[in-house]
Amino acid sequence: MTSFLDPFIAFVSAHAWLAYLTLFLAALLEAVPVVGSVIPGSTIILALSALVPGGELKLPWVLLAAALGAVLGDGSAYWIGHRQQREILDTWPLMNYPRLVAQSESFFHRFGTWAVFFARFVPPIRAFVPVTAGALGMAPAKFYAVNIPAILAWAPAHVLPGVLAVSALHEYAGLHHHGHVGKHIWILTVVAVAIVVSVGLWFIRRRHGSGVAEAKPRG
């Protein structure tokens, strides 16, 4: 993964518009059922956010790109489920992931409306709960009333760790060039992702009684 993302991040850092587009697409695809369970959207967002302290990217635009991608991704998944109702959960490609679909349904039934909020922070069901909410008949107004605040919390939670960590590294080590900071980005990214995932899984295990990590598709 690092061998692919290192040159990719280096390239987009020189083309701000492409970096913002990548942030938007990473957040959007992360919300797509099935696709979102394999796309390293959080890693890409964290890695690109590390370019903010060096001035390659602007923090408000990074947050906006990530938030808009998440809103469009979650909203699209929700409306697909809302229009096709329960049958969408038994059609391809969701039918190939019965355990994740079942996990998402159970998560939704246990937490109700708040499942939409909590799922934003918990992979891999983050990509399945919006479509499940639509399929199970959650009203649009209720979905967006929870989904929008969740995304407004999720975007800073994914962007700011990279920004703050690299800013602290700049201040502590006196490094002012992106080339120097780049050596440390992946360590910081892995730590940040591990913290986000660990906190999410800990919360779900306490409230749900079973680890999300067990809900993986067969084969």
Side-chain angles (χ1 to χ4, degrees), residues 2-198:
T2 301
S3 61
F4 165 74
L5 287 178
D6 275 338
F8 178 72
I9 297 301
F11 178 75
V12 297
S13 68
H15 304 81
W17 69 270
L18 182 57
Y20 296 128
L21 177 61
T22 300
L23 285 162
F24 173 82
L25 292 176
L28 188 154
L29 293 176
E30 196 177 44
V32 176
V34 181
V35 175
S37 63
V38 296
I39 292 292
S42 295
T43 301
I44 293 173
I45 292 169
L46 281 164
L48 287 175
S49 70
L51 301 177
V52 172
E56 291 92 340
L57 301 179
K58 303 299 182 183
L59 180 58
W61 291 107
V62 169
L63 291 170
L64 181 63
L68 288 179
V71 169
L72 182 59
D74 282 0
S76 298
Y78 167 79
W79 282 107
I80 290 174
H82 185 71
R83 291 179 179 179
Q84 298 193 26
Q85 297 298 307
R86 186 82 172 86
E87 66 182 56
I88 187 65
L89 302 179
D90 299 315
T91 58
W92 185 89
L94 297 184
M95 63 183 297
N96 294 332
Y97 295 79
R99 295 178 64 189
L100 265 176
V101 170
Q103 185 79 7
S104 299
E105 285 193 71
S106 179
F107 187 85
F108 185 80
H109 287 308
R110 284 180 178 270
F111 292 104
T113 302
W114 284 103
V116 175
F117 186 96
F118 296 138
R120 200 64 308 271
F121 301 89
V122 185
I125 62 172
R126 170 166 52 219
F128 286 81
V129 167
V131 69
T132 300
L136 297 182
M138 186 175 188
K142 184 176 291 186
F143 173 80
Y144 283 108
V146 180
N147 181 246
I148 298 299
I151 290 173
L152 292 179
W154 167 86
H158 277 63
V159 169
L160 293 182
V163 174
L164 296 176
V166 175
S167 295
L169 184 62
H170 276 188
E171 183 176 353
Y172 176 77
L175 300 178
H176 302 288
H177 300 287
H178 172 63
H180 293 162
V181 176
K183 299 176 181 179
H184 303 273
I185 286 179
W186 294 109
I187 296 176
L188 298 171
T189 299
V190 170
V191 171
V193 171
I195 291 174
V196 172
V197 173
S198 297

